[in-house]
Amino acid sequence: MRRTYLGEFEEVVLLMVAILDGEGYGVTVSQALEEHTGRIVTFGTVHNTLIRLEEKGFVQSELGGATAERGGRRKRLFRITALGSGALQEIQQLRQNLWQLLPPHTFRLGGI
Amino acid sequence: MRSPVQPPRWAHWLLTKLHPDNTLEEVEGDLHELYTHWYNSSGKTRATLRYLLSVVSVLPPFVRRRKTNKQQHYTSSLNSIMIRNYLKIAFRTLKRQKISTSINIVGLAIGLATCILILLYVQDELSYDRYNEKADRIFRVALKLRLNGEDASGPVLGSSAAGDLQQEFPEVLKVTHIQNQSGEFVSYGTTSFKEDHLLYADSAFFDVFTIPFLEGDPKRALTEPNTLVVTEETARKYFGNQEATGKVLLFGSDKTPYRITGVVRDLPVNSHFHFNMLASLATYKERHMGWLYNMNYYTYLLLPEKYDYKQLEAKISRLAEKEVGVELQQFLSISLKQFREKGDDFGIFLQPLTSIHLYSPFGGTELSPGGNILYVYVLTAIAFFMLIIACVNFMNLSTATAVRRSREVGVRKVLGSVKGQLQLQFLMESVLLAIAALVVGLLMVGLGLPFFNQLTGKALTMSLLINPFVAVGLVAGAVLVGLLAGSYPAFYLASFKPVAVLKGRVTTGRGSFNLRSGLVVFQFFITISMIIATVTADRQLRYMRTQSLGFNREQVLVIHDTHMLRNNESVFRDRIIQSPQVITGSISGQVPVGKTNNDNTTVMAKENPDKGVMSRFYYVDDAYVPTLGMHVVQGRNFSKSFSTDSFAVILNETAVRALGWQKDPIGRELVGNIDDNGVKTYYRVIGVVSDFHFESLRQKIGPLVMFLGRNSGNILVKTHTDKLPQLLASLKQQWESFSPAAPFSYSFLDDRFAQVYLSEQKIEQVLTLFSSLTIFIACLGLFGLATYTAAPRTKESGVHKVLGASGSSVVALLSKDFLKLILIALVLATPIAWWGMDQWLKGFAYRVTIDWWIFALAGLLAIGIALLTVSFQSIKAALMDPMKSLRSE
């Protein structure tokens, strides 16, 4: 099996790009992260992760959508690639399989 | 429309200055947007703080750089098409520049070949005795001994040491001792040979050393007296293809029988002892004779694994002191303490088997001549220097030739090539060249190996290079050399600005000239030193060959081993001198050429018996002095007509001087030996011969006393004949009429004389070889430098010519720089070469002086060679039409 190199934070960012469906760029991804996970991260972390994801071929980007509120500068908009969605699905599938293997009494005995 | 809120300007400024260019726009926009968002949601202070933090997080070194499209393209398109293009261009360029390519390859190939040869040599030197499976656990017991003020140390002990060591120390697993009896005559049927490698050993020998048996049982091979193990080659020599085991060989003139109990494989060359025959020590009755008495036994110990031998060394020393103390008491009637107080000393130490060949200090007493760790170091250093110089030259030449390709670089760059691609291209080319050089170098090694073997007296083969590790190492080494050597041109050329290059403006840095000049100085420093060394060694050798020795070595035939004729020796001599072709013949053990036994004995003048003079004794007959053509300065030679001559001596001039008898030596008397009853014998001086060299010019002539006496061993024959083959045939016939146990063998005195200086001759050959190699390599370096520096000066010489300078003055202008470098090298090399050769010459008692003209010669030679090399480039530049060089702007 080909191993998918995707860290935990990378996975979350990739999911965000997928959720934002073509509208994902630095700002929206950071805001969505803050909103949905409650994690406050520096902008650089997001920026670096997006570049890394693109190098791995999980997302692709293009420049566009200059607006006045950003001083007329263009944004780099990210879109998930087929490889990216495949990787996400693979992770999901693996988790699913592992959950299936969990003995049913585990959480009950743990008192959760 | 402007956004109402603006982020802090200085933080924004920081961002624009330090953030990578290619992502600046999007990051600027994103942060601006976020700032507005934060401003609106949590106020100005918090927004500023978060903005600041975010800016810092996208500054180096935290920020990840986005790769440019080109870089991405480059990594993904390193495909076979590009590589094929590089190879094609590489071959085309190499073909176009045939001369510089071949010079470059040959230069590096010579460096690599020298390295490989030296590697083979060093590997062989280090491999000595490692064929023994237990090599790391075998130690030899050696003796430090100072007796009567003279060093008598050696790797030998008396016969009892082995048994005592086995008994006293449980940690000594096995002990074996060997005795050398080379030179014995061995016969089988009618054939007889002088065996130069005959050893005696006890039965434990094969437990310690790993020597495989072809026939016989190693456990029982040497247990019985008068038994013998021979090597495969020896068995073939005596018995052809017949089985050797069970056959009987006869030893010596009394024909003692020895039965062969085994045949072993021939010993490896890299062993510190060699034998063709190994006889049983059980032949001699073992009595407790002590450690110092009859010191002829090489004693080896086998120790347990991982045992610290230093520990045992101390214990053995204690045992040895006890044993030796008893012996000293017995023979010299003094205790060990008194012995030491007298200034004499005694000690025992252990030598690891694997260090014997290279580190053992006992040259003459070893079983085979040893190596020298110093040579290993010197050769390794030479190999290292040669490789470095060859690499740097390779780099220089590559850069010099690559400069011509600057236009190609420009075109490639314009067509979208990036730095990395160009670097890769040049690196590939230089790796290709390096591998080609390796192939040429291996060919050179193959061709040069027989010569190198002759020079070093070794039997090296290329077989070591077939070893996969070595082969992979060599290829990896060549690739590494290619990468290192190619890196400078690669980075240098790839950094050209395409516009400048295409316009024809290539500047060569002046700074790199210093490094290159340093290199040229270094190379010529070595070259000049080597020339000086070679010339001096050659002069010394010539001097030794032509120096008058004090006797006549022409037309003197030495018949060997005449003691094997026993009582017929003088009969044989008398028959020989009947021949009209023979002038005189003398029976003597002493041949005054090469090594003779070093027995120096003290003699005293009768009137001054307290002052002893260490002298060498020669026992000669009355024909000795005329046969060797020695010059009798005073008195007369021994004569049969004086019966008193058995108590007469002849001295050499040095002895006369040492005894203080310059005025009238004839008739004076020496105190001779004292017999058991205390009666002294006196010897009267009847003659004085002029000094002659009795070993070689390395030694100073010492005092010599000649007695009349029987001293068999050789017959020296002075002949006058053109029909030498007939004379030799008749001598052989007469020799065989006595049917001695030894075959007829002979040599000529002048041949023996040439043999003595063999090692000097080898040194001279090695020096000649290395000096020509360094001259060649230095010329390559110079050639590269000249090409490199002459190119940008074509315009300069063009201007000179336009203004009326002649061709020769332009050549002088361009060569001047190099002359300076060579003069610096000469100044540096002179004192060091002088010191080195002075040290070498100190090993000769009679030597040439190092004259100033040698240095002048070396300097002139170096300058001449350098000018010749440089002139190729500078003449080209000087003859060039100034129109051409000045037009292109």
Side-chain angles (χ1 to χ4, degrees), chain B residues 341-361:
Chain B
E341 275 165 5
K342 211 161 67 125
D344 289 345
D345 198 13
F346 162 84
I348 287 282
F349 64 104
L350 292 181
Q351 294 177 295
L353 178 71
T354 48
S355 78
I356 290 177
H357 175 69
L358 286 174
Y359 295 93
S360 184

PDB file of all heavy atoms in Angstrom, chain B residues 341-361:
ATOM      1  N   GLU B 341      76.039  -2.750  35.481  1.00  0.00           N
ATOM      2  CA  GLU B 341      76.902  -1.650  35.944  1.00  0.00           C
ATOM      3  C   GLU B 341      78.027  -1.395  34.952  1.00  0.00           C
ATOM      4  O   GLU B 341      78.511  -0.289  34.793  1.00  0.00           O
ATOM      5  CB  GLU B 341      77.481  -1.986  37.332  1.00  0.00           C
ATOM      6  CG  GLU B 341      76.531  -1.610  38.454  1.00  0.00           C
ATOM      7  CD  GLU B 341      76.909  -2.257  39.757  1.00  0.00           C
ATOM      8  OE1 GLU B 341      77.966  -2.927  39.818  1.00  0.00           O
ATOM      9  OE2 GLU B 341      76.146  -2.105  40.728  1.00  0.00           O
ATOM     10  N   LYS B 342      78.430  -2.472  34.282  1.00  0.00           N
ATOM     11  CA  LYS B 342      79.510  -2.375  33.295  1.00  0.00           C
ATOM     12  C   LYS B 342      79.075  -1.554  32.078  1.00  0.00           C
ATOM     13  O   LYS B 342      79.876  -1.256  31.200  1.00  0.00           O
ATOM     14  CB  LYS B 342      79.850  -3.805  32.855  1.00  0.00           C
ATOM     15  CG  LYS B 342      81.289  -4.034  32.470  1.00  0.00           C
ATOM     16  CD  LYS B 342      81.573  -5.516  32.518  1.00  0.00           C
ATOM     17  CE  LYS B 342      80.816  -6.260  31.446  1.00  0.00           C
ATOM     18  NZ  LYS B 342      81.572  -7.087  30.559  1.00  0.00           N
ATOM     19  N   GLY B 343      77.771  -1.243  32.016  1.00  0.00           N
ATOM     20  CA  GLY B 343      77.281  -0.481  30.869  1.00  0.00           C
ATOM     21  C   GLY B 343      76.595  -1.377  29.855  1.00  0.00           C
ATOM     22  O   GLY B 343      76.066  -0.921  28.854  1.00  0.00           O
ATOM     23  N   ASP B 344      76.597  -2.683  30.134  1.00  0.00           N
ATOM     24  CA  ASP B 344      75.901  -3.606  29.246  1.00  0.00           C
ATOM     25  C   ASP B 344      74.459  -3.755  29.719  1.00  0.00           C
ATOM     26  O   ASP B 344      74.121  -3.391  30.844  1.00  0.00           O
ATOM     27  CB  ASP B 344      76.590  -4.969  29.239  1.00  0.00           C
ATOM     28  CG  ASP B 344      77.930  -4.880  28.512  1.00  0.00           C
ATOM     29  OD1 ASP B 344      78.122  -3.866  27.820  1.00  0.00           O
ATOM     30  OD2 ASP B 344      78.739  -5.796  28.646  1.00  0.00           O
ATOM     31  N   ASP B 345      73.632  -4.279  28.871  1.00  0.00           N
ATOM     32  CA  ASP B 345      72.233  -4.422  29.283  1.00  0.00           C
ATOM     33  C   ASP B 345      71.580  -5.604  28.590  1.00  0.00           C
ATOM     34  O   ASP B 345      72.088  -6.124  27.595  1.00  0.00           O
ATOM     35  CB  ASP B 345      71.453  -3.145  28.975  1.00  0.00           C
ATOM     36  CG  ASP B 345      70.162  -3.095  29.779  1.00  0.00           C
ATOM     37  OD1 ASP B 345      70.025  -3.912  30.723  1.00  0.00           O
ATOM     38  OD2 ASP B 345      69.307  -2.259  29.472  1.00  0.00           O
ATOM     39  N   PHE B 346      70.426  -5.970  29.143  1.00  0.00           N
ATOM     40  CA  PHE B 346      69.723  -7.128  28.631  1.00  0.00           C
ATOM     41  C   PHE B 346      68.224  -6.928  28.843  1.00  0.00           C
ATOM     42  O   PHE B 346      67.802  -6.398  29.865  1.00  0.00           O
ATOM     43  CB  PHE B 346      70.227  -8.356  29.404  1.00  0.00           C
ATOM     44  CG  PHE B 346      69.308  -9.524  29.283  1.00  0.00           C
ATOM     45  CD1 PHE B 346      69.393 -10.361  28.180  1.00  0.00           C
ATOM     46  CD2 PHE B 346      68.341  -9.774  30.242  1.00  0.00           C
ATOM     47  CE1 PHE B 346      68.519 -11.417  28.052  1.00  0.00           C
ATOM     48  CE2 PHE B 346      67.474 -10.823  30.114  1.00  0.00           C
ATOM     49  CZ  PHE B 346      67.558 -11.656  29.010  1.00  0.00           C
ATOM     50  N   GLY B 347      67.408  -7.314  27.896  1.00  0.00           N
ATOM     51  CA  GLY B 347      65.953  -7.207  28.069  1.00  0.00           C
ATOM     52  C   GLY B 347      65.235  -8.042  27.036  1.00  0.00           C
ATOM     53  O   GLY B 347      65.806  -8.425  26.015  1.00  0.00           O
ATOM     54  N   ILE B 348      63.953  -8.330  27.352  1.00  0.00           N
ATOM     55  CA  ILE B 348      63.162  -9.165  26.449  1.00  0.00           C
ATOM     56  C   ILE B 348      61.931  -8.362  26.042  1.00  0.00           C
ATOM     57  O   ILE B 348      61.369  -7.645  26.861  1.00  0.00           O
ATOM     58  CB  ILE B 348      62.688 -10.428  27.200  1.00  0.00           C
ATOM     59  CG1 ILE B 348      63.852 -11.384  27.403  1.00  0.00           C
ATOM     60  CG2 ILE B 348      61.542 -11.127  26.487  1.00  0.00           C
ATOM     61  CD1 ILE B 348      64.223 -12.186  26.200  1.00  0.00           C
ATOM     62  N   PHE B 349      61.528  -8.446  24.803  1.00  0.00           N
ATOM     63  CA  PHE B 349      60.234  -7.865  24.444  1.00  0.00           C
ATOM     64  C   PHE B 349      59.546  -8.706  23.379  1.00  0.00           C
ATOM     65  O   PHE B 349      60.178  -9.561  22.749  1.00  0.00           O
ATOM     66  CB  PHE B 349      60.374  -6.401  24.002  1.00  0.00           C
ATOM     67  CG  PHE B 349      61.170  -6.182  22.763  1.00  0.00           C
ATOM     68  CD1 PHE B 349      60.546  -5.895  21.566  1.00  0.00           C
ATOM     69  CD2 PHE B 349      62.563  -6.252  22.784  1.00  0.00           C
ATOM     70  CE1 PHE B 349      61.280  -5.686  20.419  1.00  0.00           C
ATOM     71  CE2 PHE B 349      63.301  -6.045  21.638  1.00  0.00           C
ATOM     72  CZ  PHE B 349      62.654  -5.758  20.455  1.00  0.00           C
ATOM     73  N   LEU B 350      58.231  -8.506  23.258  1.00  0.00           N
ATOM     74  CA  LEU B 350      57.449  -9.304  22.313  1.00  0.00           C
ATOM     75  C   LEU B 350      57.125  -8.461  21.087  1.00  0.00           C
ATOM     76  O   LEU B 350      56.779  -7.297  21.203  1.00  0.00           O
ATOM     77  CB  LEU B 350      56.147  -9.774  22.967  1.00  0.00           C
ATOM     78  CG  LEU B 350      56.274 -10.780  24.098  1.00  0.00           C
ATOM     79  CD1 LEU B 350      54.902 -11.160  24.620  1.00  0.00           C
ATOM     80  CD2 LEU B 350      57.004 -12.027  23.642  1.00  0.00           C
ATOM     81  N   GLN B 351      57.228  -9.083  19.914  1.00  0.00           N
ATOM     82  CA  GLN B 351      56.864  -8.390  18.676  1.00  0.00           C
ATOM     83  C   GLN B 351      55.635  -9.062  18.096  1.00  0.00           C
ATOM     84  O   GLN B 351      55.669 -10.258  17.802  1.00  0.00           O
ATOM     85  CB  GLN B 351      57.986  -8.533  17.641  1.00  0.00           C
ATOM     86  CG  GLN B 351      59.279  -7.852  18.012  1.00  0.00           C
ATOM     87  CD  GLN B 351      60.329  -8.126  16.954  1.00  0.00           C
ATOM     88  OE1 GLN B 351      60.746  -9.254  16.758  1.00  0.00           O
ATOM     89  NE2 GLN B 351      60.749  -7.085  16.263  1.00  0.00           N
ATOM     90  N   PRO B 352      54.536  -8.322  17.910  1.00  0.00           N
ATOM     91  CA  PRO B 352      53.383  -8.934  17.244  1.00  0.00           C
ATOM     92  C   PRO B 352      53.795  -9.375  15.831  1.00  0.00           C
ATOM     93  O   PRO B 352      54.523  -8.654  15.152  1.00  0.00           O
ATOM     94  CB  PRO B 352      52.355  -7.799  17.172  1.00  0.00           C
ATOM     95  CG  PRO B 352      52.781  -6.831  18.216  1.00  0.00           C
ATOM     96  CD  PRO B 352      54.262  -6.959  18.333  1.00  0.00           C
ATOM     97  N   LEU B 353      53.311 -10.537  15.425  1.00  0.00           N
ATOM     98  CA  LEU B 353      53.714 -11.098  14.134  1.00  0.00           C
ATOM     99  C   LEU B 353      53.475 -10.124  12.980  1.00  0.00           C
ATOM    100  O   LEU B 353      54.312  -9.954  12.107  1.00  0.00           O
ATOM    101  CB  LEU B 353      52.928 -12.397  13.884  1.00  0.00           C
ATOM    102  CG  LEU B 353      53.193 -13.101  12.556  1.00  0.00           C
ATOM    103  CD1 LEU B 353      54.569 -13.724  12.551  1.00  0.00           C
ATOM    104  CD2 LEU B 353      52.143 -14.149  12.274  1.00  0.00           C
ATOM    105  N   THR B 354      52.308  -9.456  13.032  1.00  0.00           N
ATOM    106  CA  THR B 354      51.937  -8.612  11.900  1.00  0.00           C
ATOM    107  C   THR B 354      52.778  -7.338  11.829  1.00  0.00           C
ATOM    108  O   THR B 354      52.743  -6.636  10.829  1.00  0.00           O
ATOM    109  CB  THR B 354      50.455  -8.224  11.980  1.00  0.00           C
ATOM    110  OG1 THR B 354      50.188  -7.779  13.296  1.00  0.00           O
ATOM    111  CG2 THR B 354      49.574  -9.400  11.649  1.00  0.00           C
ATOM    112  N   SER B 355      53.510  -7.024  12.893  1.00  0.00           N
ATOM    113  CA  SER B 355      54.322  -5.803  12.829  1.00  0.00           C
ATOM    114  C   SER B 355      55.776  -6.112  12.504  1.00  0.00           C
ATOM    115  O   SER B 355      56.588  -5.211  12.347  1.00  0.00           O
ATOM    116  CB  SER B 355      54.232  -5.046  14.154  1.00  0.00           C
ATOM    117  OG  SER B 355      55.059  -5.667  15.104  1.00  0.00           O
ATOM    118  N   ILE B 356      56.125  -7.384  12.393  1.00  0.00           N
ATOM    119  CA  ILE B 356      57.534  -7.731  12.188  1.00  0.00           C
ATOM    120  C   ILE B 356      58.055  -7.151  10.878  1.00  0.00           C
ATOM    121  O   ILE B 356      59.102  -6.516  10.838  1.00  0.00           O
ATOM    122  CB  ILE B 356      57.728  -9.262  12.213  1.00  0.00           C
ATOM    123  CG1 ILE B 356      57.525  -9.787  13.638  1.00  0.00           C
ATOM    124  CG2 ILE B 356      59.125  -9.628  11.723  1.00  0.00           C
ATOM    125  CD1 ILE B 356      57.609 -11.273  13.773  1.00  0.00           C
ATOM    126  N   HIS B 357      57.290  -7.318   9.813  1.00  0.00           N
ATOM    127  CA  HIS B 357      57.803  -6.913   8.503  1.00  0.00           C
ATOM    128  C   HIS B 357      58.126  -5.417   8.439  1.00  0.00           C
ATOM    129  O   HIS B 357      59.172  -5.026   7.941  1.00  0.00           O
ATOM    130  CB  HIS B 357      56.803  -7.286   7.418  1.00  0.00           C
ATOM    131  CG  HIS B 357      57.190  -6.794   6.061  1.00  0.00           C
ATOM    132  ND1 HIS B 357      58.263  -7.300   5.379  1.00  0.00           N
ATOM    133  CD2 HIS B 357      56.676  -5.819   5.275  1.00  0.00           C
ATOM    134  CE1 HIS B 357      58.383  -6.678   4.231  1.00  0.00           C
ATOM    135  NE2 HIS B 357      57.440  -5.762   4.132  1.00  0.00           N
ATOM    136  N   LEU B 358      57.213  -4.605   8.950  1.00  0.00           N
ATOM    137  CA  LEU B 358      57.396  -3.156   8.782  1.00  0.00           C
ATOM    138  C   LEU B 358      58.115  -2.479   9.943  1.00  0.00           C
ATOM    139  O   LEU B 358      58.732  -1.452   9.768  1.00  0.00           O
ATOM    140  CB  LEU B 358      56.042  -2.483   8.563  1.00  0.00           C
ATOM    141  CG  LEU B 358      55.423  -2.713   7.193  1.00  0.00           C
ATOM    142  CD1 LEU B 358      54.035  -2.136   7.135  1.00  0.00           C
ATOM    143  CD2 LEU B 358      56.286  -2.106   6.113  1.00  0.00           C
ATOM    144  N   TYR B 359      57.999  -3.040  11.137  1.00  0.00           N
ATOM    145  CA  TYR B 359      58.497  -2.297  12.299  1.00  0.00           C
ATOM    146  C   TYR B 359      59.738  -2.900  12.955  1.00  0.00           C
ATOM    147  O   TYR B 359      60.324  -2.283  13.804  1.00  0.00           O
ATOM    148  CB  TYR B 359      57.400  -2.180  13.352  1.00  0.00           C
ATOM    149  CG  TYR B 359      56.220  -1.370  12.914  1.00  0.00           C
ATOM    150  CD1 TYR B 359      55.113  -1.967  12.340  1.00  0.00           C
ATOM    151  CD2 TYR B 359      56.215   0.014  13.072  1.00  0.00           C
ATOM    152  CE1 TYR B 359      54.027  -1.218  11.934  1.00  0.00           C
ATOM    153  CE2 TYR B 359      55.134   0.764  12.672  1.00  0.00           C
ATOM    154  CZ  TYR B 359      54.045   0.154  12.104  1.00  0.00           C
ATOM    155  OH  TYR B 359      52.973   0.900  11.704  1.00  0.00           O
ATOM    156  N   SER B 360      60.092  -4.138  12.594  1.00  0.00           N
ATOM    157  CA  SER B 360      61.171  -4.774  13.326  1.00  0.00           C
ATOM    158  C   SER B 360      62.484  -4.032  13.101  1.00  0.00           C
ATOM    159  O   SER B 360      62.851  -3.711  11.976  1.00  0.00           O
ATOM    160  CB  SER B 360      61.315  -6.226  12.885  1.00  0.00           C
ATOM    161  OG  SER B 360      62.296  -6.836  13.676  1.00  0.00           O
ATOM    162  N   PRO B 361      63.211  -3.748  14.187  1.00  0.00           N
ATOM    163  CA  PRO B 361      64.437  -2.968  14.040  1.00  0.00           C
ATOM    164  C   PRO B 361      65.658  -3.807  13.646  1.00  0.00           C
ATOM    165  O   PRO B 361      66.728  -3.258  13.488  1.00  0.00           O
ATOM    166  CB  PRO B 361      64.619  -2.365  15.430  1.00  0.00           C
ATOM    167  CG  PRO B 361      63.984  -3.338  16.350  1.00  0.00           C
ATOM    168  CD  PRO B 361      62.879  -4.014  15.588  1.00  0.00           C
TER     169      PRO B 361
END
